Amino acid sequence: MFERPKALQELPLILAPKCLFRTPQKLRRQSPVIKSDLDAWMNRAREDDELLRIERRLIPFAEIYIPDTSDAKQFFTIAKAFGEISMLAGVIPKNQNQGYWLKTLHYLHQARGVLFAHKLLGVIPNPLEKQGLFEEYLPETSIHNLDLITNVDLAEYQLIKSGECYIQQWVAKHNIVYPFKNPFELFLSIHKQAFLDGWTLGPACQESKWFSIEQQKEFLAVRIRLLEQIPWIKREDKRGTYQQQEQEYLKFLKNYQWYGYFILALRSHHWSQEKSWQQYLTGRQNRLKSL
């Protein structure tokens, strides 16, 4: 009767010796190695709490144990970097409600980071499967949405990775410094910018009226058609002509930093990137259908 409802929650990552994976979780937490890591995580979490003006006792958490191996350390690095996007973006909540909102977005990024790292590297059991990690803690709708969102994340990363040389050529041609050591750094930069834009349009928005779901779906549908470069034949009142929308889109991309640069660089090479490009488009189309 008093079981906590399933919901997005904090997912601290813990590197654990493989021998401890045979130990029940309650006993595992008492291991000096694990206890030390959990204590360090809790101290950092309390610092975040003070910044966000929230109470730790109200925040559930479920640590994720990752085997302490060389392969798993890459998983840990990727999942942790993605999971910290919202907390390292420099956003300062104006009130407690915004603090809780930001913390919820932190949960979402953590879950996306874990699932992204799994889809990319494996390492841990599939958290989406029956009896998997997510089923234990998250509601079914959240699991489904995480799967769709992370498919887009993975396809975007693979597209950046396969087209990195074209991106570097494009920015060099336009006298833009390429500061990234690898495709993942560029991928992270794009998602940090997306988070900041989402925060500006959401919690920090000063407008009294937000876009409706129908307006958002129409906007995304047009953007997908522009990515596909498939013109619509006749003028539509709410869309205008393809040429009008394309010019506005290209202008937007030129001013949208690295997401814009990456799309502009690869848009003209989409035939040579056909497989990666199609996976990216398919992921976005599936996500649109779910809205």
Side-chain angles (χ1 to χ4, degrees), residues 19-48:
C19 61
L20 288 179
F21 279 76
R22 296 187 293 271
T23 305
Q25 186 171 358
K26 288 184 178 180
L27 294 178
R28 195 183 305 167
R29 285 177 173 174
Q30 303 307 313
S31 163
V33 174
I34 303 301
K35 191 174 184 304
S36 175
D37 284 349
L38 281 173
D39 288 345
W41 164 74
M42 183 58 76
N43 289 334
R44 291 192 299 271
R46 288 196 179 103
E47 293 176 4
D48 290 340

Side-chain angles (χ1 to χ4, degrees), residues 83-151:
E84 293 299 314
I85 285 174
S86 55
M87 298 305 294
L88 297 179
V91 168
I92 300 178
K94 294 182 178 179
N95 51 55
Q96 192 179 58
N97 284 340
Q98 284 194 4
Y100 281 118
W101 194 333
L102 181 59
K103 197 62 183 176
T104 301
L105 293 174
H106 184 204
Y107 301 159
L108 178 61
H109 277 106
Q110 285 182 325
R112 283 171 69 179
V114 169
L115 187 54
F116 175 81
H118 168 75
K119 286 177 179 283
L120 187 65
L121 301 170
V123 176
I124 66 172
N126 187 349
L128 297 172
E129 289 182 348
K130 291 290 183 183
Q131 310 303 317
L133 175 73
F134 286 174
E135 185 185 50
E136 183 178 355
Y137 299 111
L138 307 182
E140 187 175 341
T141 53
S142 294
I143 295 173
H144 178 67
N145 288 331
L146 277 168
D147 191 24
L148 292 175
I149 294 170
T150 310
N151 284 340

Side-chain angles (χ1 to χ4, degrees), residues 141-191:
T141 53
S142 294
I143 295 173
H144 178 67
N145 288 331
L146 277 168
D147 191 24
L148 292 175
I149 294 170
T150 310
N151 284 340
V152 178
D153 294 337
L154 183 63
E156 182 179 87
Y157 173 69
Q158 298 289 16
L159 185 58
I160 291 170
K161 188 176 179 180
S162 64
E164 185 181 26
C165 61
Y166 296 123
I167 300 170
Q168 291 175 332
Q169 290 169 11
W170 189 92
V171 297
K173 180 180 177 181
H174 291 82
N175 297 315
I176 299 169
V177 176
Y178 188 81
F180 309 108
K181 297 177 183 178
N182 54 60
F184 184 67
E185 286 191 3
L186 171 54
F187 173 78
L188 275 183
S189 176
I190 288 170
H191 279 270

